[in-house]
């Protein structure tokens, strides 16, 4: 044991030392290249790497530590694995885990690392190399055949011509590499045909074809990829031979009818361009809609200038310098008018007419911000040296001849003059602003807006901005006490001449001339005010070809369309439409003019396309019949007229409009075949006083401003009546008119007041019937606060309003009390009422005014009308119960008379209280409802 013990101990010592030194043996990490590039052929598994996959370790030749045990791949779903071939040399191989498809993925990139065997056989303390990037490219195999993109090809040629290319066939290959996926050659399989094909698939004819000899050819074409793999199926090509043709548009109608309200209508749904198969490179077509003879250049809304401005959201405060002539706007009465069509007010100036605007109308302080706007139609002025033609001029009224501001045309240039006062500026400042534009003298309607933000002045023409090309400066005007005169159509020369007169007359047409101090107009409002309501349109823009380019002018009267593909151009032209968004458009003819240019390869114009001239006929719209209905007579106690709220004459007003498709009148036939009730806007309603004008000292006809909030409405009133204007719905006009109140503080001498209501659409183009209403006044009435036990109604009952009806005693049905009884009851009632009135007269008058104020805030349908008796009828009661109630009421008359202050009937005279109660019962039994008040004076005792 001792002999064996020494070597055994030595072995353990050696083993211990080796274990201690084990950590020091594997000191180095394996080393591999930083990147590898490999190639693998699809459907194979071996990867050829450059450089080869070899890992080195500086710990070699130490066992384990200097050997390579594994290669690890890091990457998302990389279909490869690395295998160690020789641990000592570190050689490895990269191979695919399965079949690799080039069409699925052409390249792969991933990361690889080498691992040594560690410090011993158990693999402790492995070390790994740095990461190397591996790029693998998949080589393609020509496994797919070419396939044609179309199942059949069609083409047409004109006889007698040689074409460089009739059509082009195209095939494609599913292989991934350019070598096998590209098509390198096409071939015509059919023999003995007068056609040839090049390597790009272009088919041409080798001889002139004859329509008489053969109408159609069918040839079969095959394709080869660059690996010379042939298409499995050939494609058929049909070539039609056409006789000699004439280029031009075909399949269009010279006349198209447009029915109002149908939206956008296609003009040429079947039109196509025949180019006789010329080698086209581009087609340009221009469609022009000619509407210069319609209104002010096109179909626009013909509302008044104020209504249009409110409709477009313009700032308030503008002054209309060319309003329609009337009693209050009489300065335009002497001017020539050309109403044109559809109530579109136009003033025509021939160089001899002008008008001074009254001082009460002229804005006195324009401030540094203001706007002048007008429609103008003007042509070249006669003579070599044309005179100034003034549209608007503010000059000295007497003594001197200074122009403070003016707008005039001179030699087809628009000039705006603005001379400031010394009180505003005292330096040399801009004074004249000049614009030179073609529109000024083209004899067409244009909308001009001058926005002044002194010293900057900007001109808008048809919504497009123009800066002045010339601005001249001048000194301010010296202050003076001379009055100024604003003139339209010329300039007033009141000084420096023996006879004051007009000078610098304007020659042309104007409409809608307005001036607004303190504010400038926005681009959005300007565009709205001059917008055309008719124009060209394109249906389904999204369906146009990508190569189609189109452009509209601002008025959408000109459409320019360009394209390279003839079929796309044909499709686009078929979608060109006409649209008129007015509910009641201007009927008549609109001309269409189409010009077309065709460009060929290498040439400017190769084919001449004749112009097209067609017309669109806008059919007359169905004219609306605007009807105003309601109670045409009201009877009101004088106390109601004196009340704070007055009376509402038009509380039961109803406005309807009907159109008919036949010659029959739509009167009371809303549901009759051919007659329809329509909804449209109104632009004003006038309430005129019939007879003597209102006396402002003791009566008024007005509407509270709160009644117009939330509506596009405004109102003005005078002693002759009230006018509500603005473009808004009939429903809003109904609501506003129901809020009109008539008051009279001293109605003692007034017996009645008569009013006439008319409404209009499109500035008088369509007007309603004249609705006449009379308010009769009951004098000596003494309203008393009553308690009506029937006022609190069941939730299942609805109020029924009956007109007040007073009948003679002879008209009573059976069951009415005898005449003697009636006289006694009337006497007792009169005595009680006189006593009550003596005590509560002041208190009752106050309560009556409060009650009317509360009623004014209620729903119009539930308002109390003093002219009618409100009788609440229980629909579950029988007629017999009504008779029984009448008898009970007769028994309790004495008790009711003692409580006369609580009764709900409001009569015109205290002596007829009981008689009206009997009439109430008669109405209740007979169930009558009449729309007009019936008054029989024979039954009234004064």
């Amino acid at each position: 044991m001792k002999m064996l013990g020494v070597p055994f101990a030595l072995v353990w010592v050696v083993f211990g030392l080796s274990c201690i030194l084990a950590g020091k043996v594997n000191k180095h990490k394996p080393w591999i290249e930083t990147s590898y590039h490999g190639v693998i052929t699809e459907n194979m598994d071996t990867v050829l790497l450059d450089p080869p996959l070899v890992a080195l370790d500086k710990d070699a030749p130490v066992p384990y530590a200097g050997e390579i045990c594994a290669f690890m791949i890091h990457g998302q779903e990389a279909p490869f694995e690395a295998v160690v071939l020789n641990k000592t040399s570190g050689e490895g191989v990269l191979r695919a885990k399965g079949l690799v498809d080039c069409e699925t993925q052409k390249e792969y990139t991933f990361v690889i690392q080498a691992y040594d065997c560690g410090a011993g056989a158990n693999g402790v303390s492995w070390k790994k190399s740095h990461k190397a990037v591996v790029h693998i490219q998949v080589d393609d195999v020509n496994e797919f055949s070419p396939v044609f993109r179309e199942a059949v090809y069609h083409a047409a040629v004109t006889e007698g011509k040689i074409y460089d290319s009739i059509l082009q066939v195209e095939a494609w290959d599913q292989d991934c590499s350019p070598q096998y996926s590209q098509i390198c050659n096409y071939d015509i399989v059919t023999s003995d045909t007068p056609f040839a094909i090049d390597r790009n698939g272009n088919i041409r004819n080798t001889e002139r074809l004859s329509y008489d000899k053969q109408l159609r050819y069918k040839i079969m074409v095959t394709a080869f990829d660059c690996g010379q793999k042939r298409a499995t199926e050939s494609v058929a090509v049909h070539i039609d031979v056409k006789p000699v043709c004439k280029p031009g548009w075909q399949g269009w109608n010279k006349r198209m009818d447009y029915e109002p309200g149908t939206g956008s209508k296609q003009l040429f749904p079947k039109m196509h361009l025949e180019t006789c198969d010329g080698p086209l490179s581009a087609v340009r077509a221009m469609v022009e809609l000619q509407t210069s003879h319609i209104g002010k250049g096109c179909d626009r809304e013909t509302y008044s200038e104020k209504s249009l401005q409110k409709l477009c959201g313009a700032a308030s405060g503008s002054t209309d310098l060319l309003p329609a002539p009337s009693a209050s706007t009489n300065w335009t009465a002497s001017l020539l008018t050309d109403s044109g069509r559809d109530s579109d007010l136009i003033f025509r100036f021939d160089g001899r007419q002008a008008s001074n605007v009254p001082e009460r109308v002229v804005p006195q302080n324009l401030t540094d911000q203001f706007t002048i706007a007008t429609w103008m139609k003007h042509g070249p002025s006669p003579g070599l040296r044309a005179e100034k033609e003034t549209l608007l001029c503010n000059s000295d009224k007497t003594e001197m001849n200074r122009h403070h501001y003016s707008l005039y045309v001179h030699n087809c240039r628009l000039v705006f003059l603005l001379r400031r006062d010394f009180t505003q500026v005292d330096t040399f400042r801009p004074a004249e602003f000049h614009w030179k534009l073609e529109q000024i003298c083209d004899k067409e309607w244009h909308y001009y807006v001058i926005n002044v933000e002194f010293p900057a002045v900007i001109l808008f023409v048809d919504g497009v901005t123009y800066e002045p090309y010339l601005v001249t400066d001048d000194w301010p005007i010296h202050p003076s006490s001379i009055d100024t005169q604003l003139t339209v159509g010329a300039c007033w020369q009141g000084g420096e001449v023996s006879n004051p007169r007009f000078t610098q007359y304007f020659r042309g047409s104007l409409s809608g001339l307005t001036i607004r101090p303190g504010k400038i107009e926005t681009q959005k409002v300007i565009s709205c005010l001059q917008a055309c309501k008719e124009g060209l349109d394109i249906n389904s823009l999204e369906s146009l070809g990508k190569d189609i380019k189109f452009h509209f002018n601002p008025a959408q009267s000109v459409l320019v369309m360009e394209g390279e593909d003839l079929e796309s151009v044909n499709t686009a032209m078929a979608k060109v439409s006409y649209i008129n968004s007015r509910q009641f458009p201007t009927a008549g003819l609109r001309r269409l003019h189409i010009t077309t240019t065709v460009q060929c390869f290498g040439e400017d114009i190769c084919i001449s396309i004749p112009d097209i001239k067609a017309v669109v006929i806008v059919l007359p719209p169905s004219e609306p019949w605007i009807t105003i209905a309601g109670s045409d007579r009201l009877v009101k106690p004088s106390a109601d007229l004196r009340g704070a709220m007055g009376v509402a004459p038009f509380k039961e007003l109803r406005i309807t409009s009907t159109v008919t498709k036949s010659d029959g009148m739509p009167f009371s036939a809303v549901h009759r075949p051919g007659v329809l009730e329509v909804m449209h806007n109104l632009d004003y309603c006038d309430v005129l006083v019939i007879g003597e004008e209102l006396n402002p000292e003791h009566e008024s006809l007005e509407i509270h401003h709160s009644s117009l909030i939330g509506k596009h409405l405004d109102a003005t009133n005078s002693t002759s009546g009230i006018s509500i204007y603005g473009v808004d719905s009939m429903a809003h006009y109904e609501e506003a008119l129901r809020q009109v109140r008539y008051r009279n503080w001293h109605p003692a001498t007034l017996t009645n007041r008569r009013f006439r209501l008319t409404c209009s659409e499109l500035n008088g183009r369509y007007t309603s019937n004249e609705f006449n209403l009379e308010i009769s006044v009951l004098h000596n009435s003494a309203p008393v606060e009553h308690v009506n036990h029937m006022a609190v109604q069941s939730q299942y009952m609805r109020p029924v309003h009956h007109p007040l009806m007073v009948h003679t005693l002879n008209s009573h049905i059976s069951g009415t009390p005898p005449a003697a009884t009636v006289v006694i009851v009337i006497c007792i009632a009169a005595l009680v009422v006189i006593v009550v009135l003596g005590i509560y007269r002041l208190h009752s008058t106050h309560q009556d005014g409060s009650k009317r104020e509360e009623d004014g805030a209620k729903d119009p349908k539930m308002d109390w009308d003093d002219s009618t008796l409100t009788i609440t009828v229980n629909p579950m009661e029988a007629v017999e119960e009504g008779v029984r109630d009448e008898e009970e009421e007769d028994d309790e008359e004495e008790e009711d008379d003692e409580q006369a202050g609580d009764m709900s009937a409001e009569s015109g005279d205290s002596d007829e209280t009981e008689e009206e109660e009997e009439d109430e019962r008669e109405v209740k039994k007979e169930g009558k409802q009449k729309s007009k008040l019936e008054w029989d004076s024979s039954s009234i005792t004064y």
Side-chain angles (χ1 to χ4, degrees):
M1 290 296 293
K2 290 181 180 180
M3 294 178 64
L4 292 174
V6 174
F8 183 76
L10 182 61
V11 171
W12 277 104
V13 171
V14 173
F15 179 75
L17 290 173
S18 63
C19 291
I20 294 172
L21 296 174
K24 298 182 179 180
V25 171
N26 192 10
K27 296 187 296 181
H28 300 94
K29 297 187 296 183
W31 178 90
I32 58 177
E33 298 286 346
T34 57
S35 64
Y36 295 89
H37 294 273
V39 176
I40 183 173
T41 303
E42 65 176 342
N43 302 326
M44 304 292 289
D45 62 350
T46 303
V47 180
L48 300 179
L49 282 178
D50 181 26
L53 184 60
V54 177
L56 303 178
D57 197 317
K58 290 184 178 181
D59 293 322
V62 177
Y64 301 109
E67 295 178 346
I68 302 301
C69 274
F71 291 98
M72 299 295 294
I73 293 176
H74 306 284
Q76 295 182 352
E77 300 180 0
F80 298 96
E81 61 181 359
V83 180
V84 177
L85 299 179
N86 191 320
K87 292 183 179 182
T88 303
S89 64
E91 294 181 59
V93 65
L94 189 66
R95 61 191 180 193
K97 295 179 181 179
L99 298 179
V100 179
D101 189 3
C102 177
E103 287 72 37
T104 303
Q105 188 168 343
K106 296 181 180 181
E107 294 182 348
Y108 295 89
T109 300
F110 52 86
V111 174
I112 192 171
Q113 283 183 300
Y115 291 77
D116 61 17
C117 295
N122 57 357
V124 179
S125 301
W126 279 28
K127 289 187 179 295
K128 59 183 178 181
S129 69
H130 60 271
K131 294 181 179 179
V133 180
V134 181
H135 298 280
I136 303 297
Q137 179 179 347
V138 182
D139 276 354
D140 189 22
V141 174
N142 194 4
E143 52 186 336
F144 294 99
S145 301
V147 177
F148 285 93
R149 294 191 179 275
E150 302 288 342
V152 176
Y153 287 88
H154 294 275
V157 297
T158 303
E159 62 176 347
K161 295 181 62 176
I162 297 293
Y163 293 85
D164 293 331
S165 176
I166 297 175
L167 81 159
Q168 183 182 23
V169 297
E170 184 181 2
W172 66 289
D173 197 306
Q174 197 174 343
D175 289 311
C176 68
S177 64
Q179 178 182 2
Y180 300 133
S181 64
Q182 291 184 353
I183 307 301
C184 282
N185 194 22
Y186 292 92
D187 193 15
I188 296 178
V189 179
T190 307
S191 58
D192 299 329
T193 60
F195 301 98
I197 189 169
D198 61 16
R199 60 185 304 167
N200 294 323
N202 294 304
I203 299 176
R204 58 184 178 85
N205 56 326
T206 56
E207 61 184 50
R208 300 183 187 277
L209 305 179
S210 173
Y211 177 79
D212 297 330
K213 182 179 179 180
Q214 189 168 346
L215 301 179
R216 170 176 289 193
Y217 292 86
K218 178 182 178 181
I219 58 176
M220 302 300 295
V221 177
T222 189
F224 297 87
D225 63 20
C226 294
Q228 293 304 307
K229 197 176 185 77
R230 180 174 173 174
T232 55
E233 294 184 3
S234 300
V235 68
V237 179
H238 297 277
I239 300 176
D240 295 327
V241 180
K242 292 183 178 181
V244 176
C245 69
K246 295 181 180 180
W249 291 102
Q250 298 181 0
W252 57 277
N253 295 322
K254 190 173 183 179
R255 168 176 170 160
M256 287 72 67
D257 290 341
Y258 180 83
E259 185 175 352
T262 56
S264 182
K265 181 177 180 180
Q266 290 177 263
L267 296 174
F268 317 107
K270 297 181 180 180
M271 187 173 72
H272 63 278
L273 180 62
E274 178 60 66
T275 62
C276 300
D277 300 323
L280 308 181
S281 61
V283 178
R284 182 180 186 272
M286 182 175 70
V287 184
E288 181 180 3
L289 178 68
Q290 299 174 351
T291 60
S292 58
H293 61 291
I294 302 294
K296 295 193 288 286
C298 67
D299 211 359
R300 293 183 170 92
E301 296 293 6
T302 55
Y303 295 114
S304 66
E305 200 63 30
K306 277 190 175 182
S307 296
L308 281 175
Q309 290 179 358
K310 194 167 186 68
L311 183 65
C312 292
S316 59
S318 67
T319 301
D320 190 356
L321 301 180
L322 284 177
S326 66
S328 59
T329 57
N330 56 3
W331 70 89
T332 60
S334 62
L335 300 178
L336 297 177
T337 58
D338 181 10
S339 297
R341 310 176 72 173
D342 303 335
S343 304
D344 199 0
L345 185 61
I346 295 171
F347 291 89
R348 182 164 49 87
F349 297 85
D350 60 0
R352 294 190 297 268
Q353 289 84 23
S355 179
N356 285 331
V357 182
E359 186 176 355
R360 59 181 172 80
V361 178
V362 180
Q364 298 302 316
N365 184 15
L366 291 182
T367 72
D368 287 339
Q369 286 188 342
F370 63 92
T371 297
I372 297 176
T374 185
W375 286 95
M376 182 177 73
K377 181 180 180 181
H378 181 263
S381 302
L384 298 176
R385 182 70 177 175
E387 298 294 331
K388 294 180 179 179
E389 300 179 55
T390 303
L391 289 75
L392 180 68
C393 179
N394 184 266
S395 58
D396 289 330
K397 199 169 189 177
T398 58
E399 300 183 27
M400 303 181 71
N401 188 30
R402 299 175 302 175
H403 295 186
H404 296 260
Y405 63 86
S406 67
L407 180 64
Y408 62 90
V409 176
H410 189 212
N411 290 328
C412 291
R413 290 166 174 81
L414 186 67
V415 183
F416 177 64
L417 169 68
L418 179 62
R419 299 283 303 278
R420 311 309 298 269
D421 294 338
F422 256 111
T423 56
Q424 298 171 314
V425 291
D426 58 356
T427 59
F428 212 52
R429 300 302 297 272
E432 279 191 343
F433 304 84
H434 300 250
W435 293 271
K436 184 178 181 181
L437 304 172
E438 294 179 358
Q439 296 93 320
I440 297 172
C441 289
D442 64 358
K443 297 183 180 180
E444 301 289 347
W445 280 105
H446 299 285
Y447 188 56
Y448 299 82
V449 178
I450 295 178
N451 271 350
V452 178
E453 283 186 292
F454 193 79
V457 178
I458 298 177
L459 171 68
F460 292 85
V461 181
D462 298 332
V464 180
T465 307
Y466 294 93
E467 297 286 345
Y469 82 93
L470 175 64
V471 179
T472 59
D473 297 342
D474 203 346
W475 289 103
I477 293 178
H478 292 280
S480 68
S481 59
I482 302 175
D483 293 334
T484 60
Q485 176 63 60
L486 183 63
T487 307
V488 176
C491 202
W492 178 255
Q493 187 173 0
E496 302 178 357
V497 291
S498 57
N499 295 320
R501 54 191 168 87
F502 292 117
T503 61
Q504 302 175 7
Y505 283 101
F506 176 71
R507 294 176 177 85
S509 298
L510 297 176
S511 179
L513 177 59
T514 61
I515 185 168
R516 176 184 288 105
K519 293 181 181 179
I520 62 173
E521 211 61 275
T522 64
Q523 175 81 51
K524 182 179 179 181
V525 172
I526 293 172
S527 299
C528 174
L529 289 173
Q530 62 89 35
C532 285
K533 294 300 181 180
E534 67 176 339
L536 298 173
D537 191 22
I538 296 180
N539 282 339
S540 304
L541 282 173
E542 62 277 1
S543 63
L544 292 182
K546 295 181 179 179
D547 63 319
I548 295 295
K549 300 177 182 178
F550 64 92
H551 171 71
F552 286 100
N553 68 334
Q556 283 194 220
S557 60
V558 177
L559 168 62
V560 178
M561 194 173 295
E562 298 179 359
E564 299 178 356
D565 179 62
L566 180 61
E567 191 62 31
S568 298
V569 172
N570 288 335
T571 302
M573 287 295 290
K575 297 181 181 297
V576 176
S577 306
Y578 170 81
I579 187 171
N580 194 316
S581 58
R582 293 188 67 190
Q583 188 174 5
F584 306 107
T586 303
L589 177 146
R590 276 79 162 163
R591 291 183 175 85
L592 286 168
H593 188 203
I594 301 178
T595 57
T596 310
T597 57
V598 176
Q599 185 176 353
C600 298
F601 293 97
E603 302 179 31
D604 292 337
I605 298 177
C606 57
I607 299 177
S608 178
I609 305 297
D611 291 355
I612 284 182
K613 292 184 178 180
V615 294
V616 177
I617 303 296
V618 178
L619 302 177
S622 299
E623 296 190 359
W625 293 78
I626 305 172
T627 304
I628 303 176
S631 177
D632 60 357
R633 188 180 182 193
L634 298 178
V635 178
K636 294 291 183 180
S638 58
D640 286 3
L641 275 66
R642 289 194 301 266
M645 299 295 295
V647 297
F650 305 105
K651 185 180 295 185
E652 298 178 1
L653 185 73
R654 179 80 172 95
I655 303 177
T656 59
S657 182
T658 56
V659 296
T660 178
K661 300 297 182 181
S662 62
D663 296 333
M665 298 290 287
F667 179 76
S668 69
V670 175
H671 301 291
R672 195 176 65 194
V675 177
L676 300 173
E677 183 171 343
V678 295
M679 301 301 297
H680 57 77
N681 292 328
L682 300 176
D683 58 353
Y684 70 80
C685 285
D686 290 339
V687 180
L688 299 178
V689 178
I690 302 177
E692 295 183 2
E693 293 190 352
L694 299 175
N695 188 340
E697 295 182 357
H698 61 77
E699 62 181 335
S700 68
L701 182 68
E702 58 189 6
I703 182 172
H704 198 275
H705 178 71
S706 61
S707 302
L708 305 178
I709 296 177
K711 305 177 179 67
H712 295 288
L713 298 178
D714 209 341
T716 58
N717 61 345
S718 64
T719 57
S720 60
I722 186 171
S723 177
I724 302 175
Y725 62 90
V727 181
D728 212 332
S729 65
M730 292 188 295
H732 280 179
Y733 267 93
E734 274 187 7
E735 294 175 10
L737 288 167
R738 289 170 180 172
Q739 300 301 318
V740 173
R741 317 292 294 192
Y742 172 70
R743 296 180 61 201
N744 193 311
W745 298 277
H746 304 290
T749 60
L750 182 68
T751 57
N752 59 60
R753 260 296 184 192
R754 299 176 62 202
F755 301 97
R756 176 173 297 155
L757 170 63
T758 57
C759 293
S760 156
E761 163 66 336
L762 295 174
N763 202 22
R765 178 179 173 185
Y766 304 115
T767 56
S768 69
N769 61 307
E770 293 184 350
F771 177 74
N772 296 321
L773 179 139
E774 179 178 337
I775 300 178
S776 298
V777 182
L778 292 178
H779 296 286
N780 300 326
S781 64
V784 181
E785 185 75 14
H786 300 289
V787 175
N788 186 355
H789 297 287
M790 296 296 292
V792 181
Q793 302 175 17
S794 168
Q795 61 176 330
Y796 301 106
M797 300 172 64
R798 57 184 299 181
V800 180
H801 299 277
H802 296 274
L804 175 64
M805 294 185 293
V806 181
H807 302 275
T808 61
L809 296 177
N810 296 331
S811 65
H812 293 171
I813 62 173
S814 60
T816 305
T821 304
V822 174
V823 171
I824 295 173
V825 171
I826 291 176
C827 293
I828 296 173
L831 178 63
V832 173
V833 170
I834 292 173
V835 173
V836 173
L837 289 179
I839 299 173
Y840 297 103
R841 182 171 184 178
L842 179 62
H843 174 71
S844 300
T845 304
H846 173 72
Q847 292 294 333
D848 184 74
S850 302
K851 182 178 180 181
R852 283 194 300 271
E853 291 178 359
E854 293 175 0
D855 291 343
K858 294 180 182 178
D859 190 300
K861 296 181 179 178
M862 298 299 296
D863 283 351
W864 181 271
D865 190 346
D866 294 332
S867 68
T868 60
L869 293 178
T870 302
I871 302 175
T872 305
V873 180
N874 188 341
M876 302 301 297
E877 286 183 327
V879 177
E880 292 78 8
E881 293 178 352
V883 175
R884 184 172 62 255
D885 290 343
E886 183 181 13
E887 295 174 353
E888 293 174 0
E889 288 176 5
D890 291 339
D891 297 336
E892 297 174 358
E893 282 175 353
E894 205 171 45
E895 180 181 354
D896 292 340
D897 291 338
E898 294 175 359
Q899 299 176 355
D902 296 336
M903 295 174 64
S904 60
E906 296 181 7
S907 64
D909 195 295
S910 60
D911 294 339
E912 58 189 33
T913 303
E914 186 61 22
E915 183 176 350
E916 288 184 6
E917 292 176 358
E918 295 170 1
D919 291 338
E920 287 176 21
R921 290 191 295 271
E922 177 185 352
V923 172
K924 183 175 180 181
K925 288 180 291 181
E926 294 179 355
K928 296 183 180 179
Q929 295 185 6
K930 297 186 179 180
S931 61
K932 296 186 178 181
L933 179 141
E934 298 180 5
W935 187 271
D936 192 345
S937 58
S938 64
S939 64
I940 302 177
T941 305
Y942 291 90

